[in-house]
Amino acid sequence: MAGIILFAENVVDTEQTARLTSEYQKLALENNLQPFLLAVDQEGDRVVRLGTGTSLPGSMALVATRDPKLAYEYGKIIAEELDSLGINVDLAPVLDINNNPNNPVAGERSISSNTELVGEIGSQLVKGLQENKVSAVVKHFSGHGDTAGDSHVGLPEVNKSKEEVMNMELRLFMNVADEGVDIIPDALNMQAIAKHFGQAEASLRSFNAWADILLMPVIMRSNEDVEKLEKVYAILENVVHEGEITEERLNDFVRRVLELKGKRGISDTTKYNQPVKEKVKKALSVVGSKEHLEKQRLITQRAITVGKNENMLPFRAKPEEKILMLAAFNNEVPGLNYGFDRLQREGVIPKDVKYTTMTYNENTTKEELKNQMKGYDYIVVISEIAKQAQHSPESWQSNIPQMFVDIANENNQKHVILSIAKHYDWTDIKMQNQYCLHMVQKEWIQQKKEHIQLKPLAQTFLLH
């Protein structure tokens, strides 16, 4: 009952990916195997594997739309693109409840700190995927969102009573499972597991816990890893012969996987006989299609949340006026340029408006920032807090946006801050008039105001 997980280096572009998955399934059929489960992590935002396709904002942005129908469309877009590429399992969505700011994993990958919202939006994401031929996998382990550890590198601890976990995280996962999500495991190579159990023991314990798919007990990077996997298989086979795993349990495992493949159309071998050229043609017409891009833009526009606006937005730039856009990192510059150029092409911003894109970093001084900001009528700065530790007075990710606000206020320059990652900066930056936004994660602010629209980088908040 073999399956394959694909990573970014395996799925470089649309044509290559369609050809790769076609060859995998051809190999399975030639060896009298069931068609493979082909899986990928395609969550949206920063956790994506496809080299091409529709770039969706993150789950935290999605929930800001407050629209379950858009959550369904979000899942549907991912499913249609994966299905056209021959991929039938998406290792998403994340159902971790983001109720610990020190958590290094959840953050903007999480839907919300509100359990009900996570359940409502998460269920629609699952339906959007599964009703369009792709199996969903809810992750991570229940309670992971309320830990300060990273299961990639160690064992996080959930400091709650059994009743607390049952009433919040486990209840959420069980409700989604009851609604019919296809799969609920995580990878066995996570250090939270690998450091505490051998590969074979971890696989056996997972199987005994009714996990029907043992995902990556060994990371396959060399011929030595193939030998390790064969040893795991031999140990499990021996356990079966000794009766520790019963024939009844094995039959149930096989039945459940076959039912899954039948339900999602994976076991229909006729579709694997389609010429590769036709598969590639279909994939090229679906992945990053105009329809998907329009829906992506709608989701992103609806997700943008105005945190505070006192007669500052919308910007009404006139011909010959100048806009400065300051990015926190070099990789943000192409998105800013793309967004501005697109707005000018569409007539939202006059073509004669001038703009400049610059970056700031840990070595930027207040004097340098003053010089950069001189002569501009409007200024947009990106604030990107990747982890909780960065929202401290000693962190340049926090103190440079604050410098920007202070200088802009001194010079009476119209300005806006775009928060595009974890929203801890909402409590950091002291604007001209003091305010507190620390509850925003629990109760999203959704104001239907006009606003400057840049290319979606992640969930985007506008502060003045």
Side-chain angles (χ1 to χ4, degrees):
M1 310 301 290
I4 297 170
I5 182 172
L6 302 168
F7 290 96
E9 59 266 31
N10 309 123
V11 287
V12 179
D13 61 45
T14 299
E15 180 173 349
Q16 172 267 335
T17 302
R19 290 183 179 276
L20 176 66
T21 61
S22 179
E23 288 298 315
Y24 276 142
Q25 299 298 21
K26 180 181 177 182
L27 181 65
L29 297 180
E30 287 175 351
N31 287 275
N32 296 317
L33 297 173
Q34 275 281 317
F36 292 134
L37 293 173
L38 298 178
V40 71
D41 288 281
Q42 192 73 7
E43 297 175 16
D45 190 32
R46 64 186 174 92
V47 181
V48 294
R49 301 292 183 248
L50 300 183
T52 50
T54 304
S55 179
L56 291 164
S59 296
M60 191 179 285
L62 175 61
V63 75
T65 70
R66 280 290 211 261
D67 191 340
K69 292 180 180 178
L70 286 182
Y72 180 90
E73 290 298 321
Y74 188 107
K76 183 181 178 184
I77 290 170
I78 294 175
E80 289 178 345
E81 297 196 357
L82 293 184
D83 179 59
S84 75
L85 291 166
I87 298 171
N88 47 49
V89 177
D90 187 17
L91 298 166
V94 171
L95 293 191
D96 296 328
I97 300 170
N98 189 36
N99 47 12
N100 187 331
N102 292 307
N103 187 284
V105 175
E108 66 272 27
R109 294 174 66 190
S110 169
I111 293 170
S112 176
S113 63
N114 182 301
T115 308
E116 301 306 319
L117 275 176
V118 175
E120 181 182 22
I121 299 299
S123 293
Q124 291 302 313
L125 285 169
V126 169
K127 289 178 181 177
L129 287 165
Q130 296 189 168
E131 291 180 5
N132 292 282
K133 305 178 185 177
V134 173
S135 289
V137 179
V138 295
K139 59 184 186 184
H140 298 85
F141 187 80
S142 305
H144 196 350
D146 197 7
T147 69
D150 184 347
S151 54
H152 292 85
V153 298
L155 181 63
E157 294 184 8
V158 180
N159 294 313
K160 290 182 175 181
S161 68
K162 178 180 178 181
E163 290 72 23
E164 288 174 317
V165 175
M166 286 296 296
N167 289 332
M168 185 175 284
E169 289 90 355
L170 279 173
R171 175 172 61 85
L172 170 64
F173 274 74
M174 289 188 291
N175 288 347
V176 175
D178 289 341
E179 291 176 6
V181 69
D182 284 347
I183 308 170
I184 320 184
D186 207 339
L188 294 178
N189 70 308
M190 303 286 277
Q191 290 301 302
I193 298 173
K195 283 184 177 179
H196 292 80
F197 309 102
Q199 294 157 341
E201 184 182 358
S203 299
L204 179 59
R205 285 179 176 236
S206 297
F207 190 85
N208 286 336
W210 291 89
D212 293 316
I213 297 174
L214 307 179
L215 178 62
M216 292 195 301
V218 177
I219 303 176
M220 306 297 288
R221 293 196 180 104
S222 66
N223 289 334
E224 291 181 359
D225 293 327
V226 175
E227 293 175 4
K228 290 178 184 177
L229 185 61
E230 289 175 345
K231 287 180 181 178
V232 172
Y233 182 85
I235 291 171
L236 292 177
E237 189 176 34
N238 186 58
V239 170
V240 172
H241 291 319
E242 291 179 351
E244 188 173 339
I245 294 178
T246 65
E247 185 175 342
E248 181 183 10
R249 173 67 181 99
L250 279 177
N251 288 339
D252 186 70
F253 155 72
V254 172
R255 175 185 59 78
R256 286 156 60 92
V257 174
L258 289 178
E259 286 178 351
L260 169 62
K261 290 184 175 182
K263 184 166 55 176
R264 301 297 165 221
I266 299 168
S267 56
D268 178 10
T269 58
T270 58
K271 64 181 180 182
Y272 305 118
N273 296 323
Q274 182 185 16
V276 176
K277 286 185 178 180
E278 291 183 16
K279 293 181 180 180
V280 170
K281 183 179 179 181
K282 178 188 176 183
L284 289 171
S285 70
V286 173
V287 177
S289 67
K290 182 179 179 181
E291 178 187 0
H292 287 177
L293 291 175
E294 287 175 352
K295 288 180 180 178
Q296 172 256 356
R297 192 175 188 189
L298 172 64
I299 292 169
T300 303
Q301 288 175 329
R302 293 277 302 278
I304 291 176
T305 302
V306 179
K308 184 177 183 181
N309 180 24
E310 294 185 353
N311 303 315
M312 182 71 71
L313 297 173
F315 287 169
R316 297 294 190 192
K318 300 179 180 64
E320 302 304 323
E321 287 190 319
K322 297 170 66 178
I323 296 178
L324 172 65
M325 295 186 289
L326 285 169
F329 299 99
N330 289 330
N331 62 3
E332 295 165 353
V333 172
L336 289 172
N337 290 334
Y338 170 88
F340 201 95
D341 291 342
R342 181 173 175 175
L343 288 173
Q344 288 193 315
R345 288 197 308 270
E346 295 176 359
V348 178
I349 296 176
K351 291 184 179 179
D352 292 337
V353 171
K354 310 297 181 183
Y355 79 93
T356 303
T357 308
M358 298 182 186
T359 59
Y360 63 86
N361 57 51
E362 57 187 312
N363 298 315
T364 300
T365 66
K366 188 168 185 177
E367 198 60 37
E368 289 171 339
L369 203 56
K370 281 183 178 179
N371 290 331
Q372 284 180 320
M373 293 167 62
K374 279 181 181 177
Y376 289 95
D377 302 286
Y378 306 90
I379 304 173
V380 177
V381 66
I382 287 180
S383 173
E384 182 171 351
I385 301 296
K387 53 188 177 182
Q388 194 265 355
Q390 292 174 347
H391 82 116
S392 69
E394 295 76 30
S395 169
W396 66 271
Q397 286 97 335
S398 290
N399 60 42
I400 291 180
Q402 181 62 61
M403 275 193 267
F404 151 81
V405 170
D406 295 340
I407 296 168
N409 284 330
E410 289 170 9
N411 298 328
N412 293 316
Q413 292 171 298
K414 289 191 174 182
H415 57 280
V416 66
I417 292 180
L418 275 69
S419 173
I420 68 166
K422 294 178 174 64
H423 56 274
Y424 304 124
D425 42 6
W426 281 50
T427 59
D428 287 340
I429 300 171
K430 297 177 177 63
M431 311 305 281
Q432 194 165 19
N433 297 307
Q434 286 283 66
Y435 62 93
C436 180
L437 290 164
H438 67 279
M439 295 298 289
V440 72
Q441 182 186 335
K442 294 182 179 295
E443 295 298 333
W444 290 102
I445 297 171
Q446 184 65 32
Q447 299 180 13
K448 298 187 180 299
K449 296 178 181 286
E450 294 182 83
H451 49 259
I452 186 169
Q453 170 66 51
L454 300 175
K455 181 179 184 292
L457 300 172
Q459 65 285 345
T460 306
F461 308 108
L462 306 177
L463 309 183
H464 161 59

